[in-house]
Amino acid sequence: MADLLGMPRIRIILCTLLLTSLLPLRTRAEDPSVAIPPQIDQSPTWFQPSAGHETGLSNPAQTLFDAAGLEFFGLLDQGFTWNPDSPRDRLNGPLLYNDRANEYQLNLLYGSLSRAVDRESCDWDIGGTVDLAFGTAGRFLQAPGLELETDFTDRWNSEDRRFYKLAMPQLYAELLVPAGEGVVVRAGRFYSVLGFPLENAEQFLLSPYSFGVMESFAVPFTHTGMTAETSLGGGVDVLAGFTRGLDNWSDNNDDLSFLGRLRWTSPDNGT
């Protein structure tokens, strides 16, 4: 397939889960003394310790996660892109996440700890999310004022580590206000609600290699600010708030920007 520069390429994507769930041991009916080795679920899924009760596993950490309503998932995403033109700078531009030609990339080692608010509740509730990402994709998840200085030089990472960066793409708290259909107030740094839907880390991580030019360069990845979201009924919800701009933790002009969204979801969830 020809890419946007006309260069043929073959892309081999190796996507490996960081951790998978082990199915419970079973004994063979014909010989109870022989145990079947543990089976590993090879289907793409998120590692979520909070789902331990489904596997029959129990431990203190699991109990704590369940009691607090916490969820954790992790992912290891890696790949290799072969470019027969072998560019001298090894740049696969204008591709973004697999931007290195003929070179192995550990794109993302990603972990997320979160507690979702109960949107069906008629009472106050609190939650939040903190994500950490490391890899070659970490370069594109950094924000001035947090991982970067305001002049875009490294703050968290070494300048010597050119391609592999640590980033915190999400760090926010949520409050459910029991008014009307429930109002969810979010404050902190979060994935953008504009353009390509990055409303949670799972959607983002499932598709970074398929990002086109529009998703890669025309819309922001994150915002830092405060929003309020509620349902108006009939599949319509509205979100409004203010941010510090696009992909910023701190803004060099200290001006706030408006962020809003009006969304309709069809009854069959097709739209």
Side-chain angles (χ1 to χ4, degrees):
M1 180 183 296
D3 62 17
L4 295 178
L5 295 182
M7 299 184 298
R9 73 176 186 278
I10 298 175
R11 184 173 66 193
I12 303 173
I13 302 174
L14 303 175
C15 182
T16 306
L17 290 176
L18 176 64
L19 293 170
T20 55
S21 302
L22 296 180
L23 299 178
L25 296 176
R26 297 189 181 92
T27 56
R28 295 177 180 171
E30 64 274 14
D31 186 357
S33 64
V34 179
I36 298 176
Q39 302 178 45
I40 299 178
D41 183 3
Q42 298 293 342
S43 60
T45 185
W46 302 103
F47 168 65
Q48 294 179 309
S50 56
H53 59 278
E54 298 176 358
T55 64
L57 301 177
S58 178
N59 55 65
Q62 178 65 61
T63 302
L64 176 61
F65 267 64
D66 290 339
L70 297 174
E71 293 188 359
F72 173 83
F73 70 77
L75 181 79
L76 173 63
D77 186 46
Q78 52 191 332
F80 180 93
T81 300
W82 176 54
N83 187 335
D85 286 348
S86 300
R88 289 186 178 181
D89 57 4
R90 294 193 175 183
L91 180 63
N92 272 333
L95 301 178
L96 191 66
Y97 283 92
N98 55 324
D99 63 334
R100 304 301 298 161
N102 306 327
E103 181 178 310
Y104 164 79
Q105 289 183 258
L106 192 160
N107 300 96
L108 274 176
L109 177 60
Y110 201 103
S112 177
L113 181 65
S114 64
R115 185 188 187 280
V117 296
D118 183 1
R119 300 194 177 213
E120 304 299 322
S121 174
C122 298
D123 202 355
W124 297 84
D125 196 11
I126 58 173
T129 294
V130 56
D131 295 356
L132 283 175
F134 176 78
T136 56
R139 292 171 290 160
F140 313 115
L141 299 175
Q142 300 179 102
L146 187 62
E147 303 95 344
L148 299 173
E149 300 289 353
T150 54
D151 62 357
F152 293 92
T153 57
D154 281 317
R155 171 183 287 181
W156 284 17
N157 298 277
S158 169
E159 295 283 357
D160 297 333
R161 195 171 58 233
R162 180 181 175 188
F163 297 113
Y164 287 85
K165 305 293 184 180
L166 176 68
M168 183 182 289
Q170 294 202 115
L171 176 64
Y172 65 82
E174 284 187 329
L175 174 67
L176 176 66
V177 180
E181 296 294 324
V183 179
V184 178
V185 179
R186 176 180 293 183
R189 187 185 184 199
F190 43 85
Y191 282 124
S192 177
V193 299
L194 302 177
F196 186 82
L198 296 175
E199 294 180 73
N200 59 63
E202 295 180 19
Q203 291 179 332
F204 165 68
L205 292 172
L206 282 171
S207 58
Y209 264 88
S210 64
F211 272 25
V213 174
M214 179 67 71
E215 294 87 0
S216 298
F217 301 104
V219 295
F221 286 118
T222 66
H223 297 287
T224 298
M226 178 178 292
T227 63
E229 180 181 10
T230 189
S231 173
L232 302 179
V236 178
D237 63 75
V238 60
L239 177 148
F242 59 88
T243 72
R244 309 203 73 175
L246 312 181
D247 298 309
N248 287 328
W249 178 264
S250 61
D251 196 352
N252 58 3
N253 59 22
D254 292 325
D255 288 336
L256 297 178
S257 302
F258 173 77
L259 176 66
R261 180 190 66 196
L262 181 65
R263 179 175 62 182
W264 174 73
T265 303
S266 62
D268 61 358
N269 292 319
T271 301

